[in-house]
Amino acid sequence: IILDFLENPTQTFTAQKIQKEGGLRGMIIPSNIAEGCANLYVDDAGLKPTALYCIERAMEIAESNDVSPYTKPILQMRNLGNLGIYLSHYNIILGAWKRVSESDDHQKENEKIIKHLAKKTVQDKYKHVRSYTHLQGRWPADQTATLYSLWLYDQNYGTDISSEPIAQWLEYMQTKATDEKTGLPVSEVTGKWGYSNYPRGCALSWSVKYMVRFAPEDAERVWELYKTHFSVDFVLGVGFREYPLGVERKADIDSGPIIKELGGVGVA
């Protein structure tokens, strides 16, 4: 399935009606695949050629007209703007490439994006990068991918660009964006959406995945609270609620289908 996607991504995007949307779903797919392929190499160095092919294809897909919101290569762009989702996940792909190839071929664009995201984070009053040009919202789950991409660059190149953005974001979340009832991060920090002040399963699942790399102790705390307040044993398996117990809201594109309180991402 993955090889089919890598060889013909447009067919998948069309069949599943995946639109650009500032690089959201179309960008997260190659980002996740690139990480998975890097892990193949970590597990078995003999798989390096396969891993590199996979990551290179993921990079090409990310740069294609199907996914990229830019009209020119990133190194030719004067202003990278407010495209946190796209830039963060493109950065993760570049980090996976460096990790496996040990080549500096893409360091310049990697560094340009890193400095842009780090600056945007510390200058923002919410300590978040905006995910999209057309929306003012700030989503912590998206920011965890941003911070992971900064941390990954530091790991690959021996720098320390990520420490201040990570510290400022963690402090903001702990002091201004934590749900009092559960102790969990809220799902959106500006309060502009009806779900903003609630922790959400779709957000928490992704947040823990990325936080465990750059803030392992905080990730462990969130994971334990997530299990306490959201996990459900439904005999055939275990899943996670999309919203806290007693909160009923309709499914949306982020949650996937909600069946008996369980969100699609939480089940996954």
Side-chain angles (χ1 to χ4, degrees), residues 2-268:
I2 291 175
L3 284 175
D4 286 344
F5 170 75
L6 290 174
E7 291 170 6
N8 193 357
T10 301
Q11 180 176 324
T12 301
F13 291 144
T14 301
Q16 297 190 16
K17 299 180 181 179
I18 296 174
Q19 300 176 353
K20 276 192 179 183
E21 297 180 339
L24 178 50
R25 273 155 288 284
M27 192 60 206
I28 292 174
I29 294 169
S31 168
N32 289 171
I33 290 175
E35 282 197 277
C37 292
N39 287 337
L40 288 177
Y41 164 70
V42 171
D43 188 55
D44 182 354
L47 292 174
K48 183 172 183 176
T50 300
L52 282 177
Y53 166 76
C54 171
I55 297 169
E56 287 168 356
R57 281 297 298 138
M59 194 183 307
E60 290 169 358
I61 292 167
E63 294 168 348
S64 71
N65 291 331
D66 285 330
V67 177
S68 176
Y70 296 112
T71 57
K72 295 184 291 188
I74 281 177
L75 286 177
Q76 296 179 22
M77 296 294 300
R78 294 185 61 185
N79 182 5
L80 296 181
N82 297 302
L83 289 162
I85 285 275
Y86 179 83
L87 291 171
S88 299
H89 286 278
Y90 184 65
N91 235 5
I92 289 170
I93 295 172
L94 294 178
W97 160 260
K98 168 62 176 177
R99 186 181 181 192
V100 176
S101 71
E102 300 181 80
S103 166
D104 294 337
D105 285 355
H106 297 288
Q107 184 178 6
K108 289 184 178 179
E109 53 259 61
N110 205 175
E111 182 181 28
K112 181 174 182 175
I113 297 169
I114 284 294
K115 290 182 176 179
H116 175 79
L117 293 175
K119 182 178 180 181
K120 284 281 186 180
T121 297
V122 298
Q123 290 184 345
D124 186 72
K125 70 176 183 178
Y126 301 105
K127 305 307 174 185
H128 284 67
V129 176
R130 279 169 53 191
S131 298
Y132 312 100
T133 298
H134 63 291
L135 293 176
Q136 293 292 324
R138 311 289 199 283
W139 288 271
D142 294 348
Q143 184 66 15
T144 61
T146 300
L147 296 174
Y148 167 62
S149 79
L150 301 182
W151 177 89
L152 185 56
Y153 181 89
D154 284 343
Q155 298 302 304
N156 283 335
Y157 291 103
T159 53
D160 188 29
I161 298 171
S162 67
S163 59
E164 190 60 29
I166 289 170
Q168 290 192 25
W169 180 79
L170 288 171
E171 181 182 9
Y172 179 87
M173 294 302 299
Q174 291 165 4
T175 60
K176 298 181 180 179
T178 296
D179 174 55
E180 292 183 359
K181 291 183 178 179
T182 62
L184 288 163
V186 301
S187 57
E188 196 280 323
V189 300
T190 69
K192 295 180 182 295
W193 279 263
Y195 60 74
S196 291
N197 294 326
Y198 296 115
R200 292 185 63 177
C202 62
L204 293 168
S205 294
W206 286 111
S207 295
V208 170
K209 166 189 161 36
Y210 291 117
M211 285 176 65
V212 74
R213 305 304 296 279
F214 66 81
E217 292 182 3
D218 294 273
E220 181 68 25
R221 176 181 56 79
V222 171
W223 173 237
E224 292 301 324
L225 289 171
Y226 184 27
K227 289 189 292 183
T228 297
H229 295 285
F230 279 71
S231 66
V232 180
D233 186 341
F234 56 100
V235 183
L236 296 177
V238 176
F240 287 84
R241 294 183 179 90
E242 177 59 18
Y243 288 99
L245 187 64
V247 176
E248 295 186 10
R249 294 186 62 86
K250 294 181 178 179
D252 61 22
I253 199 165
D254 291 318
S255 69
I258 298 177
I259 302 173
K260 293 185 177 181
E261 300 184 84
L262 300 178
V265 175
V267 173

